[in-house]
Amino acid sequence: MNNHYQLAIVGAGPAGLSAATTAIEYGISVALFDEQPALGGQIYRAIESVPEQRANQLGAEYLRGKKLAEIFRKSKVEYFPNTQIWSINSQREIGLLQNQQAKLITADQVLLATGAMERPVPFPGWTLPGVMQAGAGQILFKSSAIIPADGVVLAGSGPLLLLLAWQYLHAGVDIKALLDVTPLFNPLRAILKLPRALMAHHYLSEGLAYKAELKRAGVKTLHGVSDLQAHGEDQLQSVSFRHLGRNKSLQTDLLLTHFGVIPHIWLTQAAGCAHQWDNGQQCWRPEHDAWGSSSIDGILVAGDGAGINGARCAEHAGRLAALQVLHALGKFDRRQRNRLAEDDRKSLQKERHIRPFLESFFRIPLTLLTTPDDDTVVCRCEEITAGQIRAAVAAGHGDSNQVKFLTRCGMGPCQGRQCANAVTHITAAACNKPVQQIALYRGRPPVTPLTLGQLSSLCVQEAK
Amino acid sequence: MVQVSINGSTLQVTEGITVAAAVLGAGLRHTRTTVSGAKRAPCCMMGVCYECVMVIDGQANRRACVTYVRNGMSIETQNGTGPAIANPIHE
């Protein structure tokens, strides 16, 4: 590994891979860092090692990752798997950790393609062993062929939940019920966005095909579910909810939930990039222009980490960011950059037509995001409840960071990844303010856990 | 297959999987307790929720979902903040 690269990319998902292979063709030095031992990100996880049968069960969209990986393997990009990025600053100085050894490198241009994470939505019992996120179920299936042996209850809202149900159906998993918490009036709202969505109709036909197949197979799907709760002493035993005006309950030892995905912004935050509240996607995302340039010179973002648009868009956005990087490095002028970008720009626009419809259709109700129950744990690490957050707000702390200082909410090992959004929503509701007026937690390095021993290995290296 | 020890029991697990996948596959229902004693288990499987921290090869607070199994690895449920550091790094 060199101490300096012209382009450093973080994340080996679709955005990072396509950016790397585009940039390397112009003879610049490119390094790609990723925490995982294999490339593909979460969406194409295990893409190079997955057996054919499992790949088919995962569906056609998953297989798109194969081509990306093949092109990447033929390129001369320096690829560093098993590498954690624990710091990045506005001077494009990157702190990384490999085999217990910390290292600082610099880059002329940095592309952060850190992808998405599940939107954490606290509800009673969500911390019980046996309650996991739907993405976790999918990751276990993709990379380890582990599927629920004793059946599963799926609950939440969003395309991923439907996809996972379809994948599980093909893998022979007993789906006890699919509890859809999407409000019943959402489809009505979304209808206005349907004409535009038809311009990217493959998403719609795919979704409808999954639905039809689940129905044919007799998977029990309940729509308009509310008041989701997980129960159990030391582990999950049952799930209760309201459906059509009645309280219902199901016995299960596994509940997989999904409430949409949000950008993973901990590195852009650490770098000090400006962020904005995206009302359509109900989350924070880094501010960026049409090329992915963030508010900091030489730091770009692409893929779901820049705002949720899905894997196909990530590929295009990655290439657009690479073109901007090459332009910034003087490889070609603005006109040539624009010309080279034409195809990706067009495809990106086309794929994006589905988004307003999806955002409207799967919009998470505010009642769920603000966690009505005072006893529900919001900060999983420090075990801070919604009631404690509301008490802090009532005591005059009308801001996420003040709530954090007062309660320790967001100060645990996950550094607020799991509670930031919920705290923002709860604080906003308690202050009677719009969410975008509540400041986001300030992020500070180290972004991932780093022992003092690992940190001091920096000095050992310099002394040598 | 590789051989690991999960809370003292020796087990053969598939090579190339994460510690979290291995312990879930082995039927471990919880992988840590919080400071207050509540039981927790892996939740996100992608390194962002930090619920799966375990004591791996004597080192506490290691995320089981981003740590891969190795032959001879010792994996233990983490209670609270885990054991006091017994193995500071000496070069």
Side-chain angles (χ1 to χ4, degrees):
Chain A
M1 190 188 298
N2 300 333
N3 292 324
H4 181 83
Y5 289 92
Q6 284 173 290
L7 172 61
I9 302 174
V10 182
L17 291 176
S18 68
T21 49
T22 305
I24 199 77
E25 283 191 26
Y26 290 83
I28 64 166
S29 58
V30 182
L32 178 70
F33 303 102
D34 193 89
E35 185 172 54
Q36 289 189 59
L39 52 80
Q42 300 301 341
I43 190 83
Y44 302 132
R45 197 165 165 141
I47 193 72
E48 292 183 304
S49 57
V50 70
E52 198 181 332
Q53 190 201 1
R54 206 190 310 155
N56 291 332
Q57 287 168 343
L58 285 163
E61 281 298 308
Y62 174 71
L63 290 170
R64 283 178 71 91
K66 276 220 150 88
K67 204 178 148 204
L68 273 177
E70 277 167 23
I71 298 171
F72 180 78
R73 287 296 184 187
K74 284 185 199 141
S75 78
K76 291 206 169 89
V77 175
E78 287 188 51
Y79 168 47
F80 301 100
N82 295 310
T83 307
Q84 280 184 34
I85 307 297
W86 49 268
S87 165
I88 173 170
N89 62 21
S90 58
Q91 305 304 304
R92 298 179 304 278
E93 197 175 23
I94 302 169
L96 45 86
L97 183 72
Q98 223 181 18
N99 295 325
Q100 305 287 318
Q101 172 69 51
K103 192 172 160 67
L104 285 176
I105 65 153
T106 53
D108 295 325
Q109 301 276 313
V110 175
L111 174 64
L112 300 175
T114 47
M117 54 178 262
E118 295 251 0
R119 181 198 318 278
V121 171
F123 61 90
W126 76 311
T127 54
L128 281 172
V131 182
M132 296 174 81
Q133 293 169 344
Q138 209 184 30
I139 288 166
L140 280 166
F141 184 34
K142 279 179 189 168
S143 54
S144 328
I146 293 180
I147 51 171
D150 303 318
V152 62
V153 172
L154 302 173
S157 175
L160 180 73
L161 200 64
L162 196 61
L163 173 63
L164 181 64
W166 181 86
Q167 290 168 336
Y168 272 173
L169 182 70
H170 281 253
V173 173
D174 170 25
I175 303 169
K176 294 178 188 174
L178 201 167
L179 309 176
D180 186 354
V181 306
T182 311
L184 292 172
F185 55 77
N186 273 20
L188 286 173
R189 261 193 197 161
I191 247 170
L192 290 171
K193 316 277 166 73
L194 190 59
R196 189 178 161 196
L198 288 171
M199 292 196 271
H201 53 81
H202 62 93
Y203 291 103
L204 294 171
S205 38
E206 217 176 291
L208 289 170
Y210 292 156
K211 272 198 157 169
E213 211 173 315
L214 289 167
K215 198 172 176 185
R216 265 202 308 278
V219 172
K220 185 167 142 190
T221 306
L222 305 181
H223 297 286
V225 164
S226 64
D227 295 12
L228 181 69
Q229 297 193 17
H231 306 274
E233 203 44 54
D234 283 331
Q235 63 183 59
L236 180 71
Q237 281 155 345
S238 69
V239 174
S240 72
F241 53 94
R242 258 182 101 68
H243 181 240
L244 301 175
R246 287 209 186 129
N247 293 324
K248 295 181 182 172
S249 172
L250 282 168
Q251 299 291 312
T252 185
D253 64 1
L254 182 64
L255 168 67
L256 296 178
T257 64
H258 176 69
F259 302 98
V261 292
I262 60 174
H264 191 264
I265 56 173
W266 267 252
L267 279 178
T268 45
Q269 263 198 295
C273 298
H275 289 72
Q276 66 183 79
W277 179 259
D278 187 318
N279 204 37
Q281 302 188 345
Q282 300 171 284
C283 58
W284 297 96
R285 64 170 177 79
E287 286 177 18
H288 60 82
D289 67 7
W291 299 98
S293 297
S294 75
S295 62
I296 297 175
D297 191 37
I299 298 184
L300 295 90
V301 288
D304 275 359
I308 305 303
N309 282 300
R312 286 194 186 199
C313 284
E315 241 179 275
H316 300 301
R319 276 194 287 271
L320 292 176
L323 292 175
Q324 168 57 27
V325 163
L326 291 162
H327 166 58
L329 293 173
K331 288 288 162 188
F332 40 66
D333 63 14
R334 194 178 280 236
R335 189 178 298 172
Q336 197 179 352
R337 175 198 69 179
N338 294 355
R339 194 177 53 72
L340 289 167
E342 274 169 15
D343 286 350
D344 282 301
R345 184 80 62 207
K346 258 186 219 148
S347 307
L348 187 64
Q349 260 159 12
K350 186 169 173 286
E351 299 288 342
R352 270 186 171 160
H353 286 313
I354 192 68
R355 287 294 139 183
F357 175 79
L358 288 181
E359 287 166 15
S360 213
F361 195 100
F362 293 112
R363 191 169 179 82
I364 306 292
L366 213 56
T367 47
L368 205 64
L369 294 174
T370 51
T371 320
D373 183 8
D374 269 349
D375 295 330
T376 301
V377 167
V378 174
C379 170
R380 304 177 67 113
C381 301
E382 297 291 314
E383 302 182 280
I384 309 297
T385 63
Q388 284 170 279
I389 295 166
R390 291 196 180 101
V393 175
H397 303 275
D399 170 274
S400 303
N401 286 300
Q402 289 176 16
V403 169
K404 178 175 164 182
F405 300 148
L406 194 74
T407 61
R408 285 200 57 80
C409 194
M411 286 191 187
C414 94
Q415 296 181 322
R417 285 170 173 83
Q418 294 299 298
C419 69
N421 266 38
V423 170
T424 309
H425 279 293
I426 293 168
T427 309
C431 298
N432 213 5
K433 279 188 195 165
V435 184
Q436 50 267 43
Q437 281 183 21
I438 306 294
L440 177 62
Y441 281 160
R442 267 186 293 280
R444 291 187 182 85
V447 173
T448 56
L450 188 71
T451 65
L452 288 172
Q454 289 161 347
L455 185 62
S456 67
S457 71
L458 270 182
C459 313
V460 173
Q461 191 189 23
E462 270 176 22
K464 279 175 189 166
Chain B
M1 301 293 270
V2 293
Q3 189 171 302
V4 297
S5 144
I6 301 176
N7 287 334
S9 315
T10 306
L11 221 75
Q12 298 282 332
V13 297
T14 316
E15 206 173 338
I17 65 172
T18 62
V19 172
V23 296
L24 287 171
L28 204 66
R29 289 296 292 181
H30 79 276
T31 47
R32 75 168 183 119
T33 62
T34 64
V35 175
S36 79
K39 289 178 177 159
R40 298 286 176 83
C43 175
C44 78
M45 293 299 292
M46 55 176 281
V48 293
C49 81
Y50 292 71
E51 282 292 14
C52 67
V53 295
M54 298 185 79
V55 183
I56 298 174
D57 286 337
Q59 194 183 21
N61 294 312
R62 290 185 63 184
R63 287 172 292 170
C65 75
V66 293
T67 308
Y68 286 75
V69 292
R70 236 181 354 82
N71 206 27
M73 188 179 252
S74 151
I75 304 161
E76 292 164 280
T77 300
Q78 180 170 329
N79 293 312
T81 52
I85 295 171
N87 58 340
I89 295 172
H90 293 297
E91 295 283 328

